Amino acid sequence: MFDIALPPSLILIIGAVLLPLLPQLWHRGWALLLPTVTMAVIWQIPADVEQFMHFAGFDILPMTLHPFTRIFATAFALAAFLGALFGAGRMNNKELAACLFYAGCAIGVTFAGDFITLFIHWELMAIASTVIILHGGTEHARTAAFRYALMHFFGGALLLASITAHFEATGSILLIPFSVEWSDWLLVADPGLERIAAWAILIAIGINLAAPPFSSWLSDAYPAASPFGSVFLSAFTTKTAVFALLTLFAGKNLLIYIGLFMVFYGIIYAMLENNIRRILSFSIINQVGFMVVGIGIGTDLALYGVAAHAFCHIMYKGLLFMSAGSVVYMTGKHTCLEVGGLYRTMRITCACGIVGALAISAFPLTSGFISKSMIASAAGDEQLFFVWVALLAASAGVFLHAGIKFPWFVFFHRDSGLRPQDPPTSMKLAMIFTAIICILPGIFPQIIYAMLPPLETALDYQPYTPAHITSQLQLLLFGGLAFFLFIRYSSLLERKPTLSLTFDWLYRHNLKWLFLMLVKAGFGLVGGLKAWGLYFFRRLRATIYHYHGPRAILARNWEIGHTVLYAAGLLGLFLIVYYYSG
Amino acid sequence: MPTKSTVKKPAMAAPPATKLYKPGQPKRVPPIPAAKQAGLIRKGWIFLWLMLAASLILEHFAHPHVPFEGYGFFGIYALFGLIACVAIVLFSKLLGLILMRPADYYQNVAKERSDV
């Protein structure tokens, strides 16, 4: 019937808008149906699809298959399905609609063939996610949503400006890799518009990527959302940014260093953190850092590893957020300090949380094992010694903060006296499904590798070699030994009710103070001006009164005789002048 | 005399908080006695040491591959994992001395600063 097929993202976007109009009873079914249909459509699209649409004088491509579109879009649709299974029926209409809309926009980004489509979906995502954070319902959620919105709208404005500059410089809005070479990246030599645009686009993507110094919005906003909203939030924004980076900036060496910074930033802050979901938020930054390093390395193995890792990461991070969300939902407690010993009554939540924790630590037989090691292997193949060592240390660090710290303090450690049950059936089902998706690719890696685009020469990569299993087990188990030795013999890892300052200190503390000072100064200035103005007008009025007031000299009643005398004098003067001049 | 309301309207109105699930009765599970707890902990440690030993024994059958020359000695990954984790913990706690603040830090800052 239709000549043009619609982009799959529209199914979720339009469906989400229609959701509040449907009867309440249909919401859960509708929320599960939309991602399923989207997933089916994603796999129906032929590989050579090319579709132009006219928009504002441009030919835009809303449906393009980049090499990694399919694996990212599949992961997003799957995350939307599992998130809906977990939360639909417990979120209110607006939050559920915002979640599905958000997922649709994320899928839209993966199909964008041009910068305009990318930008539109990018901005809609920022709006939808702000709505989700706002539904956390607390005062902190309100302020965090405001900070989140400010950060992302700034990023959106920067993206739009840089797209305009890019179009001005190159005359093209197509989403193709930047051809600027590393040596050209130094702006000082020749700050051409094309290079400035490339840098600005990198910064705009970096904001969504939670790259330093824009990383604080993530750990600020995600834990503030509702337990269901944060499952959705954990999946989309950073991973669409990874997708954009993978499409535009693959192989730029600078990214290796940015990525390594993010990896260790995430680990160190997660080690200091006490809030359950904030530990996991820092761990998102850490995992995205791994992907950014892979994009920076830029070989086929690294890029394929990044795509595979993004897929696995979306799944196990969703699972960890579901597990943490269940604890928050059932106990109402948000910090490690308040919970502990929950394994006895929340058995399924605990088991699923442990599966997620093992997957994020890349234990053998989990999905993380087959994907994360591809990035490290790529660093080894390229003989990047320090990168390889740092990634190895980071792998052990991930096990430390997300693999042990999260489940240990939440489900074991000391008995907190809380006896919550496992969450309701739909939430348990969602967790079990996600746990299965975290384990299956670990046993059958072909599932993930089949979603990656075919290469001319097959990748020579085998995750399951005895050597790899041994080395990974040694690395992780001895890392675990360090953790438990610290727990037993020192109080260094003891939980404390603290927060750690991060980049947002600059604007939450100082900018706010500066702003308040400016406001005060402004009011002072206005007050001063007002006082001076009043003084001036009082003086003016007094002066006028002095001369023109009822008894003033210029307002006096002059007698008629004086006037006649003056007039006669003037006439006499006139006569004299007239006689002598004539 | 009627005065102006001093309640500030928030810029964005927050919707009500998600209602928490209220289970009818919390599960009645008594705390584990101290003696049993100690036994569990000892079993956990024994399990951990056994796993560590197993991972080292495994190395005799499959020698781990290091892509750089000169680092392929016995137990390299085990040593590296232990050292890396100790270093990460110590380094993060050191940074924590500078970075850690009380949990209500930003609320207090807001209060202090509002009457500059």
Side-chain angles (χ1 to χ4, degrees), chain A residues 273-276 279 334-340 405-406 409-410 495:
Chain A
E273 193 49 61
N274 178 39
N275 184 312
I276 306 170
I279 294 175
H334 292 269
T335 60
C336 289
L337 202 61
E338 299 164 300
V339 296
K405 185 180 173 176
F406 161 70
F409 282 127
V410 173
R495 303 153 295 170

mmCIF file of all heavy atoms in Angstrom, chain A residues 273-276 279 334-340 405-406 409-410 495:
data_model
loop_
_atom_site.group_PDB
_atom_site.id
_atom_site.type_symbol
_atom_site.label_atom_id
_atom_site.label_comp_id
_atom_site.label_asym_id
_atom_site.label_seq_id
_atom_site.Cartn_x
_atom_site.Cartn_y
_atom_site.Cartn_z
ATOM 1 N N GLU A 273 31.270 5.517 46.436
ATOM 2 C CA GLU A 273 29.847 5.824 46.504
ATOM 3 C C GLU A 273 29.104 4.895 47.443
ATOM 4 O O GLU A 273 29.527 3.780 47.710
ATOM 5 C CB GLU A 273 29.266 5.752 45.088
ATOM 6 C CG GLU A 273 27.889 6.324 44.935
ATOM 7 C CD GLU A 273 27.740 7.705 45.531
ATOM 8 O OE1 GLU A 273 28.438 8.619 45.095
ATOM 9 O OE2 GLU A 273 26.913 7.854 46.451
ATOM 10 N N ASN A 274 27.979 5.368 47.921
ATOM 11 C CA ASN A 274 27.192 4.637 48.897
ATOM 12 C C ASN A 274 25.783 4.349 48.375
ATOM 13 O O ASN A 274 25.182 3.337 48.691
ATOM 14 C CB ASN A 274 27.146 5.479 50.183
ATOM 15 C CG ASN A 274 26.324 4.837 51.257
ATOM 16 O OD1 ASN A 274 26.370 3.628 51.418
ATOM 17 N ND2 ASN A 274 25.565 5.633 51.967
ATOM 18 N N ASN A 275 25.254 5.253 47.512
ATOM 19 C CA ASN A 275 23.925 5.077 46.936
ATOM 20 C C ASN A 275 23.956 3.917 45.933
ATOM 21 O O ASN A 275 24.809 3.879 45.044
ATOM 22 C CB ASN A 275 23.526 6.383 46.246
ATOM 23 C CG ASN A 275 22.123 6.336 45.692
ATOM 24 O OD1 ASN A 275 21.745 5.385 45.025
ATOM 25 N ND2 ASN A 275 21.360 7.365 45.961
ATOM 26 N N ILE A 276 22.999 2.957 46.068
ATOM 27 C CA ILE A 276 23.049 1.728 45.270
ATOM 28 C C ILE A 276 23.044 2.039 43.778
ATOM 29 O O ILE A 276 23.899 1.578 43.018
ATOM 30 C CB ILE A 276 21.837 0.826 45.572
ATOM 31 C CG1 ILE A 276 21.728 0.553 47.068
ATOM 32 C CG2 ILE A 276 21.951 -0.481 44.818
ATOM 33 C CD1 ILE A 276 20.434 -0.116 47.448
ATOM 34 N N ILE A 279 26.166 3.830 42.356
ATOM 35 C CA ILE A 279 27.297 2.934 42.068
ATOM 36 C C ILE A 279 27.160 2.420 40.639
ATOM 37 O O ILE A 279 28.105 2.442 39.844
ATOM 38 C CB ILE A 279 27.316 1.737 43.040
ATOM 39 C CG1 ILE A 279 27.602 2.199 44.458
ATOM 40 C CG2 ILE A 279 28.347 0.696 42.606
ATOM 41 C CD1 ILE A 279 27.527 1.088 45.477
ATOM 42 N N HIS A 334 17.647 3.665 49.676
ATOM 43 C CA HIS A 334 18.438 3.977 48.493
ATOM 44 C C HIS A 334 19.928 3.721 48.668
ATOM 45 O O HIS A 334 20.658 3.744 47.693
ATOM 46 C CB HIS A 334 18.236 5.438 48.103
ATOM 47 C CG HIS A 334 16.857 5.723 47.612
ATOM 48 N ND1 HIS A 334 16.516 5.640 46.281
ATOM 49 C CD2 HIS A 334 15.725 6.052 48.269
ATOM 50 C CE1 HIS A 334 15.237 5.919 46.149
ATOM 51 N NE2 HIS A 334 14.727 6.172 47.333
ATOM 52 N N THR A 335 20.392 3.536 49.894
ATOM 53 C CA THR A 335 21.842 3.452 50.072
ATOM 54 C C THR A 335 22.242 2.087 50.625
ATOM 55 O O THR A 335 21.457 1.400 51.274
ATOM 56 C CB THR A 335 22.339 4.528 51.058
ATOM 57 O OG1 THR A 335 21.684 4.311 52.299
ATOM 58 C CG2 THR A 335 22.032 5.918 50.555
ATOM 59 N N CYS A 336 23.506 1.731 50.336
ATOM 60 C CA CYS A 336 24.055 0.469 50.829
ATOM 61 C C CYS A 336 24.032 0.424 52.341
ATOM 62 O O CYS A 336 23.954 -0.638 52.950
ATOM 63 C CB CYS A 336 25.504 0.326 50.370
ATOM 64 S SG CYS A 336 25.670 0.010 48.634
ATOM 65 N N LEU A 337 24.128 1.607 52.954
ATOM 66 C CA LEU A 337 24.198 1.684 54.403
ATOM 67 C C LEU A 337 22.933 1.143 55.054
ATOM 68 O O LEU A 337 22.965 0.601 56.156
ATOM 69 C CB LEU A 337 24.396 3.155 54.791
ATOM 70 C CG LEU A 337 25.001 3.458 56.141
ATOM 71 C CD1 LEU A 337 26.380 2.868 56.231
ATOM 72 C CD2 LEU A 337 25.068 4.972 56.330
ATOM 73 N N GLU A 338 21.794 1.308 54.346
ATOM 74 C CA GLU A 338 20.512 0.962 54.959
ATOM 75 C C GLU A 338 20.076 -0.464 54.664
ATOM 76 O O GLU A 338 19.150 -0.963 55.279
ATOM 77 C CB GLU A 338 19.427 1.917 54.457
ATOM 78 C CG GLU A 338 19.687 3.363 54.807
ATOM 79 C CD GLU A 338 18.832 4.303 53.978
ATOM 80 O OE1 GLU A 338 18.950 4.287 52.743
ATOM 81 O OE2 GLU A 338 18.047 5.036 54.562
ATOM 82 N N VAL A 339 20.677 -1.090 53.653
ATOM 83 C CA VAL A 339 20.262 -2.450 53.322
ATOM 84 C C VAL A 339 21.405 -3.409 53.629
ATOM 85 O O VAL A 339 22.487 -3.001 54.024
ATOM 86 C CB VAL A 339 19.849 -2.576 51.841
ATOM 87 C CG1 VAL A 339 18.643 -1.738 51.566
ATOM 88 C CG2 VAL A 339 20.993 -2.212 50.936
ATOM 89 N N GLY A 340 21.173 -4.683 53.403
ATOM 90 C CA GLY A 340 22.182 -5.695 53.698
ATOM 91 C C GLY A 340 21.465 -6.958 54.131
ATOM 92 O O GLY A 340 20.383 -6.893 54.721
ATOM 93 N N LYS A 405 31.117 -5.296 44.966
ATOM 94 C CA LYS A 405 30.632 -4.294 45.916
ATOM 95 C C LYS A 405 29.115 -4.204 45.893
ATOM 96 O O LYS A 405 28.479 -4.204 46.946
ATOM 97 C CB LYS A 405 31.241 -2.927 45.596
ATOM 98 C CG LYS A 405 30.857 -1.899 46.623
ATOM 99 C CD LYS A 405 31.443 -0.542 46.348
ATOM 100 C CE LYS A 405 30.840 0.434 47.355
ATOM 101 N NZ LYS A 405 31.374 1.762 47.267
ATOM 102 N N PHE A 406 28.523 -4.130 44.698
ATOM 103 C CA PHE A 406 27.064 -3.985 44.614
ATOM 104 C C PHE A 406 26.333 -5.173 45.248
ATOM 105 O O PHE A 406 25.580 -4.988 46.213
ATOM 106 C CB PHE A 406 26.641 -3.739 43.159
ATOM 107 C CG PHE A 406 25.200 -4.016 42.901
ATOM 108 C CD1 PHE A 406 24.226 -3.182 43.425
ATOM 109 C CD2 PHE A 406 24.796 -5.116 42.163
ATOM 110 C CE1 PHE A 406 22.893 -3.438 43.217
ATOM 111 C CE2 PHE A 406 23.463 -5.379 41.956
ATOM 112 C CZ PHE A 406 22.508 -4.540 42.483
ATOM 113 N N PHE A 409 27.211 -5.680 49.368
ATOM 114 C CA PHE A 409 26.652 -4.774 50.367
ATOM 115 C C PHE A 409 25.133 -4.781 50.370
ATOM 116 O O PHE A 409 24.510 -4.475 51.370
ATOM 117 C CB PHE A 409 27.164 -3.349 50.147
ATOM 118 C CG PHE A 409 28.562 -3.165 50.648
ATOM 119 C CD1 PHE A 409 29.555 -2.652 49.829
ATOM 120 C CD2 PHE A 409 28.893 -3.511 51.951
ATOM 121 C CE1 PHE A 409 30.839 -2.491 50.292
ATOM 122 C CE2 PHE A 409 30.185 -3.348 52.422
ATOM 123 C CZ PHE A 409 31.160 -2.840 51.589
ATOM 124 N N VAL A 410 24.519 -5.094 49.215
ATOM 125 C CA VAL A 410 23.061 -5.060 49.149
ATOM 126 C C VAL A 410 22.462 -6.364 49.677
ATOM 127 O O VAL A 410 21.529 -6.359 50.474
ATOM 128 C CB VAL A 410 22.592 -4.788 47.709
ATOM 129 C CG1 VAL A 410 21.082 -4.912 47.606
ATOM 130 C CG2 VAL A 410 23.020 -3.400 47.276
ATOM 131 N N ARG A 495 30.978 1.255 54.555
ATOM 132 C CA ARG A 495 30.087 2.219 53.905
ATOM 133 C C ARG A 495 29.928 3.456 54.780
ATOM 134 O O ARG A 495 29.771 3.352 55.987
ATOM 135 C CB ARG A 495 28.725 1.567 53.671
ATOM 136 C CG ARG A 495 28.826 0.320 52.869
ATOM 137 C CD ARG A 495 27.702 -0.617 53.177
ATOM 138 N NE ARG A 495 27.767 -1.104 54.562
ATOM 139 C CZ ARG A 495 26.808 -1.781 55.136
ATOM 140 N NH1 ARG A 495 25.717 -2.066 54.482
ATOM 141 N NH2 ARG A 495 26.934 -2.194 56.380
#
